[in-house]
Amino acid sequence: MNDGPEDHQPGADDDGLRGRLVRAGVELVNTEGAQALSLREIARRTGVSHGAPRRHFPTHLDLLSAIARQGFAELAARVAEADPGSAAPRERVALLARVYLDYATDRRGMYELMFRHDLLESGRLGLRETSLPLFGRLTELVARARPDTPDPAVLAGALWANLHGIAQLWHWGSLPLVTGGDDPAPLLAAALDAHLGPAEPGR
């Protein structure tokens, strides 16, 4: 007995099915959070049996990694759109950081999925490596903003860790509680000053 419209034609529209499964997962994580990402629910939303996704994604981690890759792609696209190549390096770092924090708020479920320890440790679909181009952009800008630093990658890594901490602690309510603020912008400014030095007057 067939459970879904795809199952009686194993070779039909396989590439299309893979994309539809990923798109359904992206929609699900953006609307209901990472905890809602079950194979059964993604299959239901795609209109196939719960076993159909395994033709393309042998494990749950494979499908989650494919969904998370879309998150990294979206974040990279947002950064590219917001980054004015003609601006000063420090200003470009600040814009990248702002986009990162905004993404963590706007796409909370996807953000949590992208940095899930088990996904990154699994190495499925080279997920860990998908963040390297974005980190490379940050490192390049840090090197230009702080030409005196002996290791731009370390400084960029420290800044990234700071941003990630702000994103997480702000979401959990810890930073608003201890700072009494309702906007993470001052925390971002403080992080940039700490890692890159104070901004020039007028910037």
Side-chain angles (χ1 to χ4, degrees):
M1 180 176 179
N2 293 325
D3 295 313
E6 303 282 349
D7 296 336
H8 68 286
Q9 298 179 3
D13 195 28
D14 275 359
D15 290 339
L17 174 57
R18 188 184 194 283
R20 284 161 50 208
L21 290 165
V22 173
R23 288 193 295 273
V26 170
E27 179 182 357
L28 185 60
V29 75
N30 285 337
T31 56
E32 300 188 28
Q35 74 284 348
L37 286 173
S38 69
L39 279 172
R40 185 178 295 272
E41 178 58 19
I42 292 172
R44 186 190 71 79
R45 288 179 173 232
T46 311
V48 299
S49 74
H50 66 270
R54 295 195 183 278
R55 293 210 299 270
H56 298 283
F57 304 103
T59 71
H60 193 203
L61 285 179
D62 288 311
L63 179 52
L64 294 184
S65 296
I67 295 167
R69 283 178 67 93
Q70 297 303 305
F72 280 112
E74 182 184 17
L75 176 57
R78 287 193 183 193
V79 168
E81 182 179 1
D83 181 14
S86 58
R90 194 185 192 284
E91 182 181 347
R92 293 175 67 191
V93 173
L95 285 168
L96 188 157
R98 183 76 249 184
V99 170
Y100 186 88
L101 293 182
D102 287 345
Y103 188 85
T105 299
D106 298 342
R107 293 285 191 265
R108 189 65 209 174
M110 180 64 85
Y111 180 80
E112 292 177 350
L113 181 69
M114 288 160 60
F115 295 103
R116 259 180 54 168
H117 179 72
D118 58 337
L119 291 191
L120 295 173
E121 282 296 310
S122 74
R124 302 287 182 179
L125 306 183
L127 185 60
R128 188 186 296 273
E129 286 72 26
T130 59
S131 64
L132 292 180
L134 187 57
F135 184 73
R137 180 193 291 257
L138 177 61
T139 301
E140 178 188 358
L141 292 174
V142 165
R144 293 172 59 188
R146 281 282 310 275
D148 60 316
T149 187
D151 195 337
V154 169
L155 185 56
L159 176 56
W160 180 25
N162 203 162
L163 295 175
H164 193 75
I166 291 173
Q168 293 287 59
L169 292 172
W170 190 267
H171 173 71
W172 293 334
S174 304
L175 283 174
L177 177 66
V178 298
T179 64
D182 58 4
D183 184 351
L187 294 166
L188 173 56
L192 293 171
D193 286 350
H195 293 288
L196 302 180
E200 297 178 13
R203 288 188 177 276

